[in-house]
C-alpha cells in the first residue's frame, strides 16, 4: 500500500479514511433506528428505578473558572520554555494565554486544549517510555540527549497516542501536584464527551462503535472511547490505519532516533487532524440525514409499537431456544465463578471513594458552621456558601475522593476477561462521585435557603445547619447506595458480556443469519438480529449479576442498602424548591464578591464578567496561605540546563499587551497564527509544510489545520462580549507547529 500524502488533498489517506468511515456509518445508521425505538419504548414503559432523594443542579458552575495560574510551556518551534497564563473554565478546556494582561484585555489565547484521550505524565521517563513503545527501534543510545529536556524536576506532559503532545513544567512539587489534580479533572470531564441526556444519538453511537469493533474481532473495553463523537470516530480510524501508516512511513524517516521520534509525532498529529476533519464532515452529514428522517420513524413506532414489541419478542424466543443451552454452559463454567471476585474488586475502592465524598462534605459544612459561630455570623454566610456551592468542582478538595479509585485492579481476572484498561471504570466512578457531591451540596443549599427565610438568629441558624446536614447525609447514603449498585451492575456487564460474546461467536454467530426472515420488512429499522442476540446473551448472565449485588447489599457490605429499602416521599415538597431561580449567595447574603475575586459585580457587562469571573481554586496559591480563591502571582522563571534562554527575562516581556488577532478555533489546542496587521484578517497562504516532506520519493506537504466548533475545543471565545475567536496554527518549513 502506498500512502500518497502529496498535493491534491492526500487522496490515498482520504480514501482509506473514507473506507473506514463508510463501514462504521452503516453500523451507526442501523443502530439509530434501534436506539430510537428503545428510547420511545422506555418513555412508555418506564424503569421503576428508585427515586433520587437528593436534588440536582440544573446549571452547574455557570460563569465560573475552575482555576487560573501560570505555568511554563515548551515551545516546539524554538525549543524554549515560555511562561503562560492558563485557566480552566467551567467546560474544562485548558486555555493558554500569552500572559495575564492578554487575558484581561481579551487578546485571543495561544491555545485551547481539549484533553480527551490524553494521559497526564509527571516524569520524562514515563514520557520517553511511551514514545519509545509507540515507535519501536528509535530508542536513543544510553547517554545521548533525549527528545525533550525539562528545566525543572517537575514536568507535566499531556500525551496522546495520535495527536499533538503538550509539555509543561512547574517550579515546585506542590505546584506539580495541584496542576496534576486540575488536569486530571480536565481529562476526566472531556473524556465524558457524549452528553448523557442524549437518549438516541448517544446510545446509537456507542453501540455502533462496539458492533464495528466486534466485526473486526475486537472485543472488550476500549481505552480510546473518550471525547465527543468526532474525536472517538477519529480514534477509531487511527486505530485501524495507524499500524499501516507506521509500517509504510517509519522506515523512511531519517536522522538520529530523537529526530525520528519528533518526525513521527508531527506526522501522526498531522494525519490525525486530517482524519478528524474528514470524520467530522461525514458524521455530521449522516447525523443530519437521520435527524431529518426521525419524525417519520417516530410516527411508525407510535403507530406500531405493540406489533414491533411482539415481533421482537418472537425473534428473541427463537434465538433463545437456539443458543440458550450453549450460553448457560458458558456462563456457568467461565463467568459465574468469577463474579463475586470481580464485584469485590469493584466495591472496595468505589465505596471508599463515596465514603470520602461523605466525609469531605461533612467536614466542609461543619467547618462553615464553626465559622458562623466564631467569626462572621450571618453576615459572612454568603461568602461561606458561595465557596461551599463550588465544592464538587474543586479539584484539590475532591482529589482525596478520586484517588480512592486508583488502586482498582482485577489482577489475573483482567487478562482473563480481556479488559485492556481499568481507566474507563475508574473515571465513571469518579464522575458519579462528583455528581453525588454536587447533589448533596445543592440539596443542602436549597434547604438552608428555605430556613433563612424564617429570619433565624445566629444560634438558631447553627442548629438549623446541623439539622439540615444530618438530613442531607441520610439522603446521600440512600442515593449513594443506589448509584453504586447501578455502577456495579453496569461494570460487571461491561466486563463479562464481551467475554461471553467472544466465547460464543465460533458456535453461535454463524446461525444468526437464518433469523433475519423472522423480521417484518416494515420493522427492520427497529429490530436487528445482532442486537436481539446480544440481549439474549445478556439475560443469561444478568440474573447472576443481580444476585451477587443483592447478596452484597443484604450483607450490608460497604454500606449498601437492600433493594427492599425504599425512601418514599421523605420530603414531598423538596423537589418543588429546586424549581425556583438559582441561589446567588454572594448577591443575597454577601457583598457581591461571592467568595471569588474581590469586586465582582453580578450586573457587570459580559466582557467584565469574563475578565473577573468567579474562580473555584487557584493551583498556584497554597490553600493554607489564606487566598485559595484569588489569582496567583506569576512564579519565578527556572533556569534551563538545556542551553535554552533564561526564563526570568521572559516575564517582563510577557506583560506587554498585544493587538487582537483574527482566526478560527482549532482542535486540541493548536497555537495561534499572527495576522499581519492588528484587526485585519491574515492574507491567504499556501498549506504549511509538514515533516512528511523529509521523506524520499514523495511530494509531501503539510495539512490544513482543522477548525472544530467551540464545543470540540472545550472553550468558547467568541460571542456578544466582543472577544475575538481562537487562532489557528501554522507550521514552519520543518513541519514544527509554531507559536508566534
Amino acid at each position: 500500500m502506498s500512502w500518497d500524502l502529496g498535493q491534491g488533498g492526500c487522496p490515498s489517506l482520504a480514501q482509506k479514511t473514507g473506507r473506514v468511515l463508510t463501514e462504521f456509518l452503516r453500523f451507526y445508521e442501523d443502530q439509530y433506528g434501534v436506539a430510537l425505538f428503545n428510547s420511545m419504548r422506555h418513555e412508555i414503559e418506564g424503569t421503576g428505578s428508585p427515586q433520587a432523594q437528593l436534588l440536582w443542579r440544573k446549571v452547574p458552575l455557570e460563569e465560573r473558572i475552575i482555576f487560573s495560574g501560570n505555568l511554563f510551556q515548551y515551545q516546539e518551534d524554538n525549543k524554549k520554555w515560555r511562561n503562560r497564563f492558563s485557566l480552566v473554565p467551567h467546560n474544562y478546556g485548558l486555555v493558554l494565554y500569552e500572559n495575564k494582561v492578554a487575558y484581561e484585555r481579551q487578546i485571543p489565547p495561544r491555545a485551547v486544549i481539549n484533553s480527551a484521550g490524553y494521559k497526564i505524565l509527571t516524569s520524562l521517563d514515563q514520557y520517553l517510555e511511551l514514545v519509545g513503545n509507540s515507535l519501536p527501534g528509535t530508542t536513543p543510545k544510553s547517554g545521548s540527549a533525549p527528545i525533550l529536556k525539562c528545566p525543572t524536576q517537575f514536568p507535566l506532559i499531556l500525551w496522546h497516542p495520535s495527536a499533538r503532545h503538550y509539555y509543561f513544567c512547574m517550579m515546585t512539587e506542590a505546584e506539580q501536584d495541584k496542576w496534576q489534580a486540575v488536569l486530571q479533572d480536565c481529562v476526566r470531564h472531556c473524556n465524558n464527551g457524549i452528553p448523557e441526556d442524549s437518549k438516541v444519538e448517544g446510545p446509537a453511537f456507542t453501540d455502533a462503535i462496539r458492533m464495528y469493533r466486534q466485526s473486526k474481532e475486537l472485543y472488550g473495553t476500549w481505552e480510546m472511547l473518550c471525547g465527543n463523537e468526532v474525536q472517538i470516530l477519529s480514534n477509531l480510524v487511527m486505530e485501524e490505519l495507524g499500524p499501516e501508516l507506521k509500517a509504510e512511513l517509519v522506515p523512511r524517516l531519517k536522522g538520529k532516533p530523537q529526530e525520528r521520534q519528533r518526525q513521527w509525532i508531527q506526522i501522526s498529529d498531522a494525519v490525525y487532524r486530517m482524519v478528524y476533519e474528514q470524520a467530522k464532515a461525514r458524521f455530521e452529514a449522516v447525523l443530519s440525514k437521520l435527524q431529518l428522517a426521525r419524525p417519520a420513524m417516530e410516527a411508525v413506532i407510535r403507530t406500531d409499537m405493540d406489533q414491533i414489541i411482539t415481533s421482537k419478542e418472537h425473534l428473541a424466543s427463537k434465538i433463545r431456544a437456539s443458543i440458550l443451552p450453549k450460553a448457560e454452559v458458558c456462563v456457568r463454567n467461565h463467568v459465574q465463578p468469577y463474579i463475586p471476585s470481580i464485584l469485590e474488586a469493584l466495591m472496595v475502592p468505589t465505596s471508599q471513594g463515596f465514603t470520602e465524598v461523605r466525609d469531605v462534605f461533612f467536614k466542609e459544612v461543619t467547618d462553615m458552621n464553626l465559622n458562623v459561630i466564631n467569626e462572621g455570623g450571618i453576615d459572612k454566610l454568603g461568602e461561606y456558601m458561595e465557596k461551599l456551592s463550588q465544592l464538587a468542582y474543586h479539584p484539590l478538595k475532591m482529589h482525596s475522593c478520586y484517588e480512592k479509585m486508583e488502586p482498582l485492579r482485577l489482577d489475573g481476572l483482567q487478562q482473563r476477561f480481556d479488559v485492556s484498561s481499568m481507566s474507563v471504570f475508574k473515571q465513571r466512578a469518579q464522575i458519579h462521585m462528583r455528581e453525588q457531591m454536587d447533589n448533596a451540596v445543592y440539596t443542602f443549599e436549597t434547604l438552608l435557603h428555605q430556613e433563612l427565610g424564617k429570619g433565624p438568629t445566629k444560634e438558631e441558624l447553627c442548629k438549623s445547619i446541623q439539622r439540615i446536614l444530618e438530613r442531607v447525609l441520610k439522603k446521600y447514603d440512600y442515593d449513594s447506595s443506589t448509584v453504586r449498585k447501578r455502577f456495579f451492575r453496569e461494570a460487571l456487564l461491561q466486563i463479562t458480556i464481551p467475554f461471553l460474546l467472544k466465547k460464543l461467536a465460533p458456535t453461535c454467530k454463524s446461525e444468526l443469519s437464518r433469523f433475519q426472515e423472522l423480521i417484518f420488512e416494515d420493522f427492520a429499522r427497529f429490530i436487528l438480529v445482532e442486537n436481539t442476540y446480544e440481549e439474549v446473551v445478556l439475560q443469561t448472565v444478568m440474573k447472576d449479576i443481580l444476585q451477587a449485588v443483592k447478596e452484597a447489599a443484604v450483607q450490608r457490605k460497604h454500606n449498601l442498602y437492600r433493594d427492599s429499602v425504599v425512601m418514599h416521599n421523605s420530603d414531598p415538597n423538596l423537589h418543588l424548591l429546586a424549581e425556583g431561580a438559582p441561589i446567588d449567595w454572594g448577591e443575597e447574603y454577601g457583598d457581591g464578591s461571592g467568595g471569588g475575586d474581590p469586586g465582582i459585580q453580578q450586573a457587570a457587562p459580559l466582557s467584565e464578567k469574563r475578565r473577573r469571573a468567579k474562580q473555584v481554586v487557584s493551583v498556584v496559591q497554597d490553600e493554607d496561605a489564606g487566598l485559595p480563591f484569588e489569582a496567583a502571582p506569576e512564579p519565578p522563571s527556572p533556569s534551563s540546563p538545556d542551553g535554552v534562554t533564561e526564563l526570568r527575562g521572559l516575564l517582563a516581556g510577557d506583560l506587554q499587551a498585544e493587538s487582537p488577532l483574527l482566526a478560527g478555533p482549532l482542535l486540541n489546542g493548536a497555537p495561534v497564527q499572527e495576522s499581519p496587521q492588528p484587526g485585519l484578517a491574515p492574507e491567504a497562504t499556501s498549506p504549511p509544510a509538514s515533516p512528511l516532506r523529509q521523506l524520499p520519493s514523495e511530494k509531501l506537504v503539510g495539512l490544513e489545520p482543522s477548525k472544530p466548533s467551540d464545543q470540540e475545543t472545550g472553550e468558547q471565545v467568541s460571542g456578544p462580549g466582543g472577544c475575538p475567536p481562537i487562532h489557528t496554527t501554522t507550521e514552519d518549513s520543518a513541519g514544527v507547529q509554531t507559536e508566534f
Side-chain angles (χ1 to χ4, degrees), residues 120-183:
I120 310 296
L121 309 177
T122 57
S123 78
L124 283 178
D125 289 342
Q126 288 177 301
Y127 177 67
L128 296 175
E129 182 180 357
L130 281 173
V131 170
N133 291 341
S134 66
L135 199 62
T138 60
T139 304
K141 295 180 181 178
S142 178
S144 61
I147 188 175
L148 174 73
K149 285 187 178 181
C150 184
T152 74
Q153 299 178 21
F154 311 107
L156 272 182
I157 299 172
L158 292 177
W159 177 89
H160 191 283
S162 302
R164 178 186 175 185
H165 303 165
Y166 296 90
Y167 313 99
F168 307 104
C169 74
M170 292 80 209
M171 295 299 298
T172 67
E173 185 176 4
E175 287 181 35
Q176 184 192 44
D177 290 343
K178 292 178 180 181
W179 277 89
Q180 183 183 9
V182 172
L183 292 180

Side-chain angles (χ1 to χ4, degrees), residues 597-626:
D597 291 337
I600 293 178
Q601 301 297 321
Q602 295 300 312
L606 182 61
S607 60
E608 280 294 295
K609 285 185 178 182
R610 179 182 177 276
R611 187 174 72 83
R612 304 164 68 182
K614 298 175 184 178
Q615 183 163 300
V616 175
V617 59
S618 168
V619 298
V620 177
Q621 201 75 27
D622 286 330
E623 286 291 309
D624 54 6

Side-chain angles (χ1 to χ4, degrees), residues 378 448-461 464 589:
I378 297 179
L448 180 61
H449 190 259
Q450 181 189 42
E451 191 70 21
L452 289 170
K454 302 175 183 177
T457 64
K458 181 197 286 189
E459 291 73 20
E460 291 171 340
L461 175 62
S464 296
Y589 297 95

Side-chain angles (χ1 to χ4, degrees), residues 662-667 670-672 706-708 710 713 717 725-729:
L662 302 177
L666 182 66
L667 170 73
V672 302
S706 57
K707 299 178 181 179
D710 293 337
T713 61
V717 295
I726 303 171
H727 287 232
T728 56
T729 187

